[in-house]
Amino acid sequence: MIHSKILGVGSYLPEKILTNADLEKIVNTTDEWIVERTGISERRIAGEDETSATLGYKAASQALKKAEISANEIDMIIVATCTSDRFFPSTACLLQDKLSINRNIPAFDITAACSGFVYALVIAEQFIRGGIHKNILVVGTEVLSRGLDWTDRNTCVLFGDGAGAIILQASSEPGILSADLYAQGKYKEILSLPSFEILATENSQKQLLLPHLAMNGKEVFKLASKFVEEAIVETLAKNKLTHKDIDWIIPHQANERIMYAISKKLNISFDKFVSTIKYHGNTSAASIPLALDQFIDEGKIKPGHLILLEGFGGGMTWGSILIKY
Ligand code: COA
């Protein structure tokens, strides 16, 4: 049987830092409120010349370097993003061009909001299992700062920009041990970033408005905690493990209080939860590979560790992957 292993991980954060103190000058908020409700102190904001493709390119280049393979050894590119540079071509095609990959390989984007990276990794694993693809570049990259209403304190304090990338390689040893993806479209209104739908309204003036992210924070909080708790229990049960066997849990970095709630409900030590939200904010599809890369670089995640990746986001979508690093 063909398995998948993580060969290299890379990430990139834009240079510009937006602190909570900076936000106090933009909307009616305080550092204290943001830290207490979310755990976020600062986030990065893409510069004028940066897009999802440029951030993704930097993360991908770093992942390739760490994996010690060349771009032309990549035989598929999957990009998870909800802030694609263009509706088309896909950010994956833009990346293929930036990486000067001359081979005619498949490249495509997928959208599952903040669960995007988990979805993309599962898709990549399926292709590797199929036996044709050997080295797949999986990228999560976002510039959600451009989809925010900067007068809405309920949302603009939460998000940041960034990118993370993984090279997934065919292997005889299992790296991805199990994976489950879920969605429930009836929750479509509680977290949404509209697009062409706006053009279907009678008010043509709306065509001039850029879409903004809209969210019912309390509902998202409640459902995200519930779905991730259920997914962790399910993944552990089907792999005949308990949380004591797990070295790290990397949840999507949306709110540290969501992580605390899950830790408390499942009676899992919070020390096992990877949290990078303090300095990244919610970077949507980029948050999990960014956190993974940081903890590998810091030597906290080591080869052989069992890690649970837990994504959740608009849709609602969610998913759980158990990996042996
Ligand atoms: N600064 C100061 N006050 C703020 C604020 C801000 N940035 N944002 C909201 N408030 C106010 C609200 O207006 C409200 O005031 P009111 O009581 O006078 O109406 C008060 O704070 C409480 O708001 P509430 O929405 O009840 O806060 P909360 O405890 O639910 O926290 C979130 C709000 C957004 C932090 C929280 O609901 C959350 O994190 N939800 C999940 C969001 C998420 O993860 N989204 C992405 C998922 S991928």
Side-chain angles (χ1 to χ4, degrees):
M1 173 151 172
I2 305 168
H3 298 283
S4 302
K5 70 167 184 216
I6 293 173
L7 192 65
V9 186
S11 63
Y12 178 75
L13 288 163
E15 273 177 24
K16 186 181 169 195
I17 296 173
L18 186 73
T19 64
N20 290 350
D22 296 329
L23 276 166
E24 287 177 4
K25 295 176 201 138
I26 300 172
V27 284
N28 181 13
T29 191
T30 60
D31 173 53
E32 197 189 358
W33 191 96
I34 302 171
V35 171
E36 192 191 303
R37 303 289 176 121
T38 71
I40 302 168
S41 292
E42 58 183 55
R43 69 289 290 144
R44 302 297 181 100
I45 303 293
E48 277 176 17
D49 55 346
E50 289 182 312
T51 65
S52 283
T54 69
L55 303 188
Y57 169 69
K58 288 191 171 147
S61 302
Q62 202 188 78
L64 285 165
K65 201 168 160 198
K66 290 191 193 165
E68 297 179 351
I69 62 168
S70 74
N72 269 299
E73 288 173 80
I74 294 297
D75 48 26
M76 177 178 284
I77 304 173
I78 310 177
V79 173
T81 184
C82 50
T83 52
S84 195
D85 290 27
R86 309 179 187 186
F87 284 114
F88 64 85
S90 65
T91 301
C93 285
L94 302 182
L95 263 187
Q96 179 184 19
D97 180 47
K98 280 182 184 301
L99 290 165
S100 304
I101 297 178
N102 303 319
R103 293 167 60 207
N104 301 330
I105 59 167
F108 57 94
D109 290 0
I110 66 112
T111 303
C114 301
S115 311
F117 191 81
V118 165
Y119 265 68
L121 201 56
V122 174
I123 295 167
E125 200 239 348
Q126 294 296 317
F127 273 105
I128 284 180
R129 271 197 204 196
I132 297 170
H133 296 87
K134 298 207 161 29
N135 294 308
I136 303 187
L137 170 63
V138 186
V139 179
T141 183
E142 303 280 16
V143 287
L144 256 181
S145 65
R146 298 202 175 118
L148 300 176
D149 175 353
W150 286 96
T151 64
D152 176 15
R153 67 178 183 175
N154 292 291
T155 52
C156 76
V157 304
L158 302 175
F159 297 91
D161 301 332
I166 279 182
I167 312 293
L168 199 68
Q169 187 173 62
S171 161
S172 53
E173 297 282 310
I176 293 185
L177 302 174
S178 85
D180 293 285
L181 300 177
Y182 310 91
Q184 187 42 264
K186 71 181 173 192
Y187 300 117
K188 62 187 182 297
E189 301 301 351
I190 65 169
L191 182 54
S192 167
L193 180 53
S195 143
F196 279 130
E197 199 179 39
I198 288 179
L199 303 182
T201 70
E202 283 175 21
N203 182 356
S204 60
Q205 283 302 308
K206 282 196 177 173
Q207 294 184 19
L208 303 173
L209 296 179
L210 280 171
H212 288 131
L213 183 144
M215 181 184 78
N216 176 336
K218 277 198 188 311
E219 273 303 295
V220 173
F221 191 108
K222 216 169 61 192
L223 289 171
S225 315
K226 175 180 180 292
F227 291 147
V228 174
E229 281 159 24
E230 288 171 359
I232 291 176
V233 170
E234 170 91 22
T235 303
L236 290 176
K238 90 178 197 191
N239 289 281
K240 299 189 172 49
L241 298 170
T242 76
H243 64 79
K244 297 202 171 89
D245 300 307
I246 301 296
D247 295 291
W248 296 103
I249 297 173
I250 311 184
H252 163 51
Q253 308 285 302
N255 182 329
E256 203 159 66
R257 276 170 52 224
I258 294 181
M259 300 183 222
Y260 279 127
I262 298 164
S263 141
K264 205 168 153 208
K265 181 82 188 290
L266 298 180
N267 201 16
I268 304 175
S269 162
F270 192 70
D271 292 345
K272 288 198 176 185
F273 283 72
V274 170
S275 178
T276 55
I277 192 156
K278 185 172 182 190
Y279 298 110
H280 297 177
N282 178 346
T283 57
S284 189
S287 90
I288 288 178
L290 264 164
L292 177 65
D293 190 38
Q294 183 178 320
F295 268 54
I296 292 170
D297 271 1
E298 289 173 2
K300 294 175 181 160
I301 290 179
K302 296 187 172 58
H305 274 178
L306 275 185
I307 307 168
L308 274 174
L309 309 181
E310 299 294 327
F312 58 90
M316 284 199 59
T317 52
W318 65 106
S320 178
I321 304 181
L322 176 67
I323 59 174
K324 186 169 186 187
Y325 177 62

